[in-house]
Amino acid sequence: MILVNFFSSLLLFIGFYFIGNNLLISLKLKNFFDKIIDTSLLSIVLSLSVFLLIIYPLLLFEIITIYFLKITLCVIVLLGIYCLTKVISNLKNFFLNLFLERKNLNYLIFIAILSSFFLLSLAPITDADSTGYHLSIPEYYLKNENFPVQEFNFTYYLFGIGEILNLFALTFNLSLFISLSNFIGLLIIISILFKFNKEKNNRYFYPLLILSCPVLIPLINTAKPQFLFISLIIISFSTLIYLLNNFKKKNININFIITIICLFG
């Protein structure tokens, strides 16, 4: 059952990658962001964020129903199946590069810690906040097709765009999609650190510094999509830093900076 859950969640992520990748290409921003972050990860988080921003008010004001959401997610999964061969090809190159660095001790420590966080993201979600309202609100919506209004349970008034992300997952009972989205947020932060660190001899120092923080443990295995949103903030700041550095070197004009900030800030 967990394998079906995992591969279904993976197809959903690949579908979002397909949408986000085409969005970056159509906006002619893929080459630009490739200097800041791994564009495959950016494609996932970009399309997922846009999807959340569109669906959230539509569900909140009952403009669309859960059946429309199910059809939409089915289409995204089909896009994931369509794009699967391309992703497999990229993964082959990725694992080949990993194999070439196998003799680096820092690399081995990095892979060991990162693999531990990946396994943690596959564990059942049991923290109090998640079971209290991050998961119960989407489950309530799936049963009643409206959001709960209960005066005796004030935590139900705390729902927001994060619970809509959980609703996506629970629509097809894909609980792993929730915690894996936090793991992808962690990968995005690591990717940005690798892009900005130009020192080849010390390239694993900052990623290991981040991965060694104990606070990551409760942030990965939870239904609170905090890490995904943290990664969005870091993408915005990293983009701004990159733009300002290149603006000082007169490689980028101010109009381009304003455009990027408006689109992704």
Side-chain angles (χ1 to χ4, degrees), residues 5-6 8-14 16 44 48 73 121 125 165-166 168-170 173-184 228:
N5 198 324
F6 174 75
S8 300
S9 300
L10 193 62
L11 286 175
L12 196 54
F13 281 121
I14 295 172
F16 279 116
I44 294 172
L48 186 56
L73 292 177
S121 69
I125 296 171
L165 176 65
N166 296 341
F168 293 165
L170 296 181
N173 199 27
L174 301 179
S175 56
L176 288 181
F177 180 85
I178 301 169
S179 52
L180 283 173
S181 63
N182 283 320
F183 180 71
I184 285 177
L228 188 67

Side-chain angles (χ1 to χ4, degrees), residues 3 47 102 105 135 151 160 168 192 215 223 233 259:
L3 286 176
S47 59
R102 67 189 184 280
L105 180 60
L135 293 176
E151 294 181 0
F168 293 165
I192 292 172
V215 73
I233 295 170
T259 303

Side-chain angles (χ1 to χ4, degrees), residues 107-214:
Y107 158 77
L108 294 175
I109 296 171
F110 169 75
I111 290 297
I113 298 175
L114 194 63
S115 300
S116 300
F117 280 116
F118 173 71
L119 293 174
L120 180 63
S121 69
L122 301 179
I125 296 171
T126 56
D127 63 286
D129 279 350
S130 297
T131 55
Y133 65 97
H134 290 298
L135 293 176
S136 59
I137 291 174
E139 288 173 353
Y140 182 95
Y141 185 89
L142 290 172
K143 292 178 182 177
N144 302 280
E145 294 193 27
N146 58 66
F147 290 104
V149 180
Q150 298 181 9
E151 294 181 0
F152 62 85
N153 191 346
F154 72 93
T155 58
Y156 273 12
Y157 291 102
L158 300 176
F159 79 88
I161 199 167
E163 281 61 55
I164 302 300
L165 176 65
N166 296 341
L167 180 60
F168 293 165
L170 296 181
T171 300
F172 292 114
N173 199 27
L174 301 179
S175 56
L176 288 181
F177 180 85
I178 301 169
S179 52
L180 283 173
S181 63
N182 283 320
F183 180 71
I184 285 177
L186 178 62
L187 291 180
I188 287 170
I189 295 170
I190 299 299
S191 169
I192 292 172
L193 290 174
F194 276 130
K195 291 284 184 177
F196 273 80
N197 188 5
K198 303 299 182 182
E199 298 179 16
K200 292 185 178 181
N201 296 329
N202 208 19
R203 64 193 303 259
Y204 290 104
F205 175 76
Y206 293 107
L208 285 172
L209 197 64
I210 295 296
L211 291 176
S212 62
C213 295

